[in-house]
Every structure is written in structure tokens, then in C-alpha cells.
Amino acid sequence: MATSSGRMDGRSLSVLFVLCGAIFLEGIDVAMLNVALPAIRTDLGLSTGALSGLVSAYVLGYGGFMLLGGRAADLLGRRRMFLTWLVVFLVFSGLGGVATEGWMLLTARFVTGVAAAFLAPAGLALVTAAFPDGPLRTRALGIYAGIAAGGYTLGLVAGGLLVTIGWRWVFFAPVILAAVLLLAALVLVKDDEEQRAPRTGRFDLAGALSITGAMLLLAYAVVRLEHGTAGLATTVLVGAGGLLLLGVFVAVERRAADPLVRLEILRNAALARTNLTALLFIGAFAGFQFLVTLYLQEIRGWSPLETGLAMLVVGLDTVLAPTLTPWLVGRFGNTRVLFAGLATAALSYLLFLPVAPDWTYAAMLPSFVLVGMAFALAYGPLTMASTAEVDEREHGLAGGLLYTAIQFGTALGISGVTAVSVVAGGAGRITLDGIRTALLLPIAAVLVAALVTAFSLRRRVSTPPNAPDAPEPQAVASA
């Protein structure tokens, strides 16, 4: 899918942008809903708990089924899983738009999360299968990661605009985009020869049930953290149940003739560092973004549209990630670029720490610009590293591991800063002191991520930077 010069031809670019469109759809869907929550509450008369449940339902579906989704892409065919679950995403997003009761929205969001859990790893595996290992794949993954990150930032603005028309358009707009992507994917996206070959062996049903149950319980325990000490016993029991099922899953996989997950992949140290870094980096960003939203809307009284426009500059990663990041990775190596991104994120959050009730937009702008640069430098290398030391046949599973880390990081980040900001604010209120105290959590998380990456740098200190045309595994394996 490349020209003789090693460049992408028209068809390969078309395939890439269809796959990018799907991951963009996922990001923009989440961001737009977050902006629309107050309007949904007003129209449907939902309680605060039900409103929080709309976010939690998606997290449960996404986090609970991600590993199963990743392995299903490898076993049952990446194209088949991609197309099937894109249809499910389309249908249930539309059902959310016509919902008249809270339970209908909750169901729609849960199933949409499940659909995303199958879509995301299948899409990433299709990208790595479509482009040969090396600079071409580096560029493709840079574009893919940049557009994925752009969905979360541009979704804030799009959500603000759509809510002014009506909150139901936050659900209908993804239906239109999903329909266009589906038509294009049916024509353009193909499985490679190995994926088209018939599969042998049995599907590991016991492994699928145990890992899905474990992920659902663990995701629910994470979501409950935002309630602080209220219902702590239940949170601990749910988490313990998730860990118990995780132990059952490991025992099942050790004895299974055709395991759902080859346990050796979990012993890959580079892969473990990559996923831990992704969890911490995305968790820090999610927590920071949530606190900024609270500050602008709850403290300053800005509208959702004003908030989205204020943070639009964060979307500069959509431009930088596909263009600058692949060049930097080729020049300096994946780990160095990732470390630079984490350091930039830490600086951004530190600059926002002295936030005041009368801050001008000019005072906030440096933090927002640096967040966009951090995403451009870190998200692409993390995506590249997630499949670097993994067999091509397990790229769906590797993608599932990455997106599981990202989703759990998002849930942990938001739950953590919510709990800290409420406790620090006193009397359950959101205050500026509470926001400042909670900002310490994203700062700490991203500094720990930087330390994890620095450990990789120290191990490779004697390795010279990669040349622009160096093979990709050497560039990304150490993240």
C-alpha cells in the first residue's frame, strides 16, 4: 500500500483516513457528551447520580470489553469486527438521540462503549497491517494518533455548538459520521491474507467471560472512587471481586488449549511500561481537562461553548502529531520524544497551578498550548510502542491492552480529581482551593510517567538516536 518510493499512495491514504475517522468518532463522541450533560439533565429531569451514570455506563462498556474486543479482532477478523461494531455504534448512538427516559440513555451509552471497545483495537490492528514496519508505519501511526487525540479536543467545541441547537444532535451527529465511514470502509478496508485465512481451534469462552467480568467490576470500582469515603466498603468489595475474577482468568488461560490471551505477552516489560505510561499520562490529562472545565464553568460562569473555544488551542496536536512527531521519532528515537511530551505536560499543569478567580485568558493560554504540544509528542509514540515488540498476529490484543490502559486512566483521573476537589473544597462544594489542590494529582501522575520513561532512557543511554530511515522496532521498543 505504498509507492515504490516508500510513500503512501492515494488508496493507502484513503484507507488510513477511514480508520482515523473511526477513532476520531470515538473521541468526539465522548467529548461532546460531556459538554451536553447539563442540557440533558434539564430536559429529562435526571438526578446527579443518573447524569454521572451516563459517563460511567460508557466507561463500563469500554473498559469491560476492551481486552475481549482486541482478541476478537485477532481471532475473528479485524475487518469483520471493525465493520460489525461500527454498525452497532451507529445504531445505539441514534437510539441515544431519541431517548425519552434516563434508562434508555444509560443503555445506549453502555452499548456504545462496548462497540468502541471492539472498534478501537480492530482499527489500530488494521493500521499496522496496512503499512509495512518502518518509517511508513511510523508516519501512519503518527497521523492516526494525532487525529485520535484531536477528537477529544475538537469534540468540546463541536459539542458546545451542537448543544445550542439541541442536545440530541450530540448523538445524531456521530450517526451521520459513522454512516459515511461505514460506506467508505465497506469499499476500502480489507483484511490482509493471514486474517482472511480460516481460523482453527476453539474460542476460549471461559477466558472471555472471566476477563470481561473482571474488567467490568474493576471499571465500576474505579468509577466509584469519585464518591470518596461514601460507600467505601462497596467499592472495596467490587474491586476485590474484580481482582478475584482476574485471578480466575489467569488460571483459565494457563490451562486453555487455545487461550484468549497468551499470558507471555503480559510479561513483556516494554509493553508493561508503555501501558503504565499511557494510563498515567491520559489520566493526568483527563483530570486536568475536567478541572479546567469546572474552573471555567463553575467558578467563572462560562458557557459550554465558551469553554470549548477557550480550549480549542489544545487541538494543535491534530496538526503537529501527524507532521512533526514522526520526524522527531525518526531523528531522536521514540523514548526521547515520549519523555519530552511528558515533561511538557508536567510544565503545563504546573503553570496552571496558581489559577486565580480573575485570571485572563492570556494567563491560561500557555498551559493550553503546552498541553497540545504534550499530546502531540506523547500520544503518537505511545501508540507506536504499543505494538512494537508484539507479533503481527496479536496487534489487536496489543491495541486492546493500550486502550484498556487509556480508559482506566481516564476513569481514574476524573474520579481522583473529583474526590480530591470535593474534599478539599469543604461541604461538598467546588471551590478554587479545591481545584488547586486537585491539580496536584495530574502533576504527580505525569511526573511518575516521566520517571518510568526515564528508566527506559537510562537503559538505552549507550544506544545512538535512530536515523530517519531506521527500522521501526528499534525506534519504539523501549517505550
Side-chain angles (χ1 to χ4, degrees), residues 258-291:
D258 296 296
L260 182 72
V261 175
R262 186 175 59 86
L263 293 179
E264 285 74 15
I265 197 175
L266 303 179
R267 302 190 184 105
N268 185 320
L271 194 63
R273 287 194 298 271
T274 296
N275 287 299
L276 176 59
T277 302
L279 184 149
L280 292 167
F281 173 70
I282 297 298
F285 170 74
F288 175 75
Q289 184 187 60
F290 184 70
L291 290 172

Side-chain angles (χ1 to χ4, degrees), residues 82-94 108 111-112 114-115:
F82 183 84
L83 295 176
T84 299
W85 290 96
L86 184 57
V87 171
V88 175
F89 190 101
L90 184 158
V91 169
F92 277 86
S93 187
V111 179
T112 302
V114 174

Side-chain angles (χ1 to χ4, degrees), residues 349-432:
Y349 305 153
L350 281 168
L351 287 177
F352 205 82
L353 193 56
V355 60
D358 56 351
W359 254 24
T360 64
Y361 182 65
M364 308 176 208
L365 188 59
S367 283
F368 296 159
V369 171
L370 288 174
V371 167
M373 292 179 62
F375 238 100
L377 293 172
Y379 197 88
L382 285 170
T383 305
M384 298 171 199
S386 68
T387 57
E389 290 190 351
V390 180
D391 189 279
E392 296 271 352
R393 293 170 296 180
E394 294 183 313
H395 278 191
L397 173 60
L401 289 169
L402 174 69
Y403 291 118
T404 296
I406 287 174
Q407 194 60 36
F408 272 81
T410 300
L412 277 170
I414 294 176
S415 296
V417 298
T418 298
V420 172
S421 62
V422 170
V423 171
R429 296 181 296 110
I430 300 298
T431 66
L432 194 57

Side-chain angles (χ1 to χ4, degrees), residues 95-111:
L95 289 176
V98 299
T100 56
E101 300 288 342
W103 68 266
M104 296 173 66
L105 268 181
L106 285 168
T107 302
R109 290 309 293 169
F110 177 77
V111 179

Side-chain angles (χ1 to χ4, degrees), residues 15-67:
V15 171
L16 178 60
F17 281 110
V18 169
L19 298 173
C20 286
I23 198 69
F24 177 83
L25 173 67
E26 176 202 333
I28 201 172
D29 173 75
V30 173
M32 289 194 304
L33 177 70
N34 290 341
V35 174
L37 288 175
I40 294 173
R41 185 218 299 263
T42 301
D43 190 29
L44 297 185
L46 300 182
S47 66
T48 300
L51 204 66
S52 175
L54 294 182
V55 178
S56 302
Y58 185 89
V59 171
L60 288 172
Y62 200 128
F65 287 82
M66 180 59 74
L67 284 180

Side-chain angles (χ1 to χ4, degrees), residues 207-249:
L209 291 174
S210 56
I211 190 60
T212 301
M215 292 296 101
L216 280 169
L217 289 176
L218 290 172
Y220 183 53
V222 168
V223 167
R224 286 188 56 86
L225 288 176
E226 67 182 63
H227 300 296
T229 56
L232 182 61
T234 302
T235 302
V236 171
L237 284 174
V238 170
L243 292 174
L244 179 62
L245 275 180
L246 200 58
V248 171
F249 167 74

